[in-house]
């Protein structure tokens, strides 16, 4: 199975209460290989919700308790983000996950870029909280921005 950020399937789970549809993923939405995930919702955060960014590092540092996830009204939502990531870990531990396609720049799902925690639109290299956890468990991670039809077909072919 392939974990896919639920917003990429146009499910209304983003902080703003809408989806963030990826036409290529939507084209394959009925393939029976996708497990939609929204770690923020799974961690107990409402939709809509104040936007959040990682302050003091990346998702890796969040897991090392060296950075925190803070929303734009100053609330620390780190534990929600961690709980949401951990909610999907059983799929990984059961060996059912072959890859993840995650929303770039998200504080949960960003695979190579996230915002810097100052809510000014600046991006830094790094992963979100869920992406960092999945990488720690050896799950190949892709963003919707790097996804091609050829790559998606290969991922689907290799899914067991």
């Amino acid at each position: 199975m392939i974990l896919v950020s639920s917003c990429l399937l146009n499910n209304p789970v983003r902080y703003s209460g809408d989806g963030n549809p990826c036409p290529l993923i939507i084209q394959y939405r009925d393939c029976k290989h996708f497990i939609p995930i929204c770690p923020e919702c799974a961690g107990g955060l409402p939709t809509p919700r104040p936007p959040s960014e990682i302050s003091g590092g990346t998702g890796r540092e969040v897991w090392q308790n060296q950075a925190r996830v803070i929303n734009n009204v100053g609330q620390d939502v780190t534990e929600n983000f961690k709980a949401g990531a951990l909610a999907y870990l059983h799929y990984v531990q059961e060996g059912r996950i072959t890859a993840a396609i995650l929303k770039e720049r998200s504080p949960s799902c960003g695979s190579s870029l996230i915002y810097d925690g100052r809510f000014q639109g600046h991006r830094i290299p790094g992963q979100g909280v869920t992406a960092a956890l999945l990488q720690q468990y050896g799950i190949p991670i892709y963003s919707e921005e790097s996804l091609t039809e050829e790559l998606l077909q290969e991922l689907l072919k290799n899914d067991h």
Side-chain angles (χ1 to χ4, degrees), residues 62-143:
V62 168
W63 288 109
Q64 296 168 349
N65 296 315
Q66 298 171 348
R68 305 298 292 171
V69 185
I70 309 295
N71 66 25
N72 70 346
V73 294
Q75 296 171 310
D76 186 327
V77 290
T78 304
E79 295 310 312
N80 298 92
F81 275 70
K82 285 182 169 182
L86 290 170
Y88 298 98
L89 194 56
H90 68 279
Y91 292 113
V92 173
Q93 292 171 327
E94 292 172 353
R96 296 176 49 199
I97 303 304
T98 56
I101 304 169
L102 303 176
K103 177 66 188 118
E104 194 67 273
R105 294 180 299 283
S106 159
S108 290
C109 296
S111 63
S112 62
L113 284 175
I114 58 171
Y115 291 103
D116 70 359
R118 295 182 292 168
F119 296 95
Q120 296 176 351
H122 298 118
R123 292 172 264 188
I124 59 171
Q127 295 177 320
V129 176
T130 298
L133 181 67
L134 293 174
Q135 184 177 50
Q136 179 182 336
Y137 280 85
I139 302 301
I141 300 170
Y142 305 91
S143 83

Side-chain angles (χ1 to χ4, degrees), residues 32-62:
K32 308 278 191 247
H33 290 265
F34 295 159
I35 297 175
I37 67 168
C38 179
E40 295 168 32
C41 292
L45 294 174
T47 302
R49 58 188 166 273
S52 299
E53 294 185 7
I54 298 173
S55 179
T58 67
R60 179 176 296 154
E61 285 81 26
V62 168

